[in-house]
Amino acid sequence: MEYLLIFISAIFVNNIILSQFLGICPFLGVSKKVETSLGMSAAVAFVMTLATIVTYLVQTLVLNPFGLQYLQTLTFILVIASLVQMVEIILKKVSPSLYQALGIFLPLITTNCAVLGVAILVIQKDYSLLESVVYAISTAIGFGLALTVFAGLREQLALVKVPKGMSGIAIVMVTAGLLSLAFMGFSGVDGGLKTLFGIE
């Protein structure tokens, strides 16, 4: 039941973009079309899950035993950058078609603070490896949901006549704010589920 709670909370209540404001750069930059946002979401989901597993193992097997916790952020950045490069090389060799589909998004993930944020959050929340993986997958789904919904809204905005003073980035920011407010409607759902299932 705790895994279900982590899942629902990460997607809706504590959405990585709309509640924790991590990963704003791709949220605003890659959300002009639903197709590109789906590609970015898939790439982020893959890298985020893989990075969380590797950084968790690095933290528990290397940093904690040797008292090197102060190197956490630097180590995690290096691990994530290395993973993205490794995934890029493997995809290029194994599946050129998938590499072509994700090619443009993979370098963007290296600078996506949402991936680093999740890797650090699972350590701060003191999750087990399985809980960390569930959290990473759930957060990636939440990231993809926010990105795809926002892309759909932006596609619709392109079809309507927006007042001149609100055109461009202004209407994009207003739309992002309204979407964030919509997701705030889910706040308290995790508390209600904890009460319902008697979880402390």
Side-chain angles (χ1 to χ4, degrees):
M1 201 51 66
E2 282 182 27
Y3 298 114
L4 179 64
L5 193 63
I6 291 169
F7 186 77
I8 291 169
S9 180
I11 295 173
F12 299 108
V13 183
N14 297 316
N15 188 283
I16 196 83
I17 295 174
L18 302 171
S19 295
Q20 299 183 51
F21 307 110
L22 294 172
I24 296 290
C25 187
F27 179 66
L28 295 174
V30 193
S31 60
K32 289 180 182 175
K33 291 184 178 179
V34 172
E35 190 181 336
T36 54
S37 66
L38 286 170
M40 182 66 172
S41 301
V44 166
F46 180 69
V47 172
M48 192 179 279
T49 307
L50 193 63
T52 302
I53 294 167
V54 174
T55 53
Y56 181 89
L57 294 172
V58 167
Q59 180 75 35
T60 53
L61 300 176
V62 179
L63 299 181
N64 288 348
F66 295 103
L68 299 170
Q69 291 91 339
Y70 61 93
L71 291 173
Q72 183 190 63
T73 306
L74 181 65
T75 308
F76 284 12
I77 289 169
L78 290 172
V79 166
I80 291 165
S82 304
L83 275 173
V84 171
Q85 289 301 314
M86 193 171 68
V87 166
E88 202 169 349
I89 291 165
I90 291 168
L91 280 179
K92 203 171 186 178
K93 297 262 186 200
V94 176
S95 178
S97 59
L98 187 60
Y99 174 75
Q100 288 293 328
L102 299 178
I104 191 170
F105 304 118
L106 284 170
L108 290 173
I109 296 168
T110 310
T111 56
N112 188 347
C113 59
V115 178
L116 177 63
V118 169
I120 292 172
L121 281 169
V122 295
I123 304 300
Q124 288 178 349
K125 291 174 184 275
D126 202 27
Y127 283 156
S128 67
L129 182 58
L130 186 57
E131 286 173 331
S132 300
V133 171
V134 170
Y135 182 74
I137 293 167
S138 308
T139 304
I141 292 169
F143 179 90
L145 177 68
L147 197 65
T148 308
V149 168
F150 190 56
L153 289 171
R154 285 185 74 174
E155 281 187 359
Q156 289 298 313
L157 280 171
L159 302 174
V160 297
K161 192 174 181 181
V162 179
K164 194 174 180 182
M166 286 294 290
S167 61
I169 195 70
I171 194 69
V172 170
M173 297 304 276
V174 168
T175 307
L178 290 171
L179 185 60
S180 184
L181 282 171
F183 268 74
M184 283 180 72
F186 292 110
S187 61
V189 170
D190 55 343
L193 286 172
K194 280 182 184 177
T195 307
L196 183 66
F197 296 110
I199 300 170
E200 289 295 322

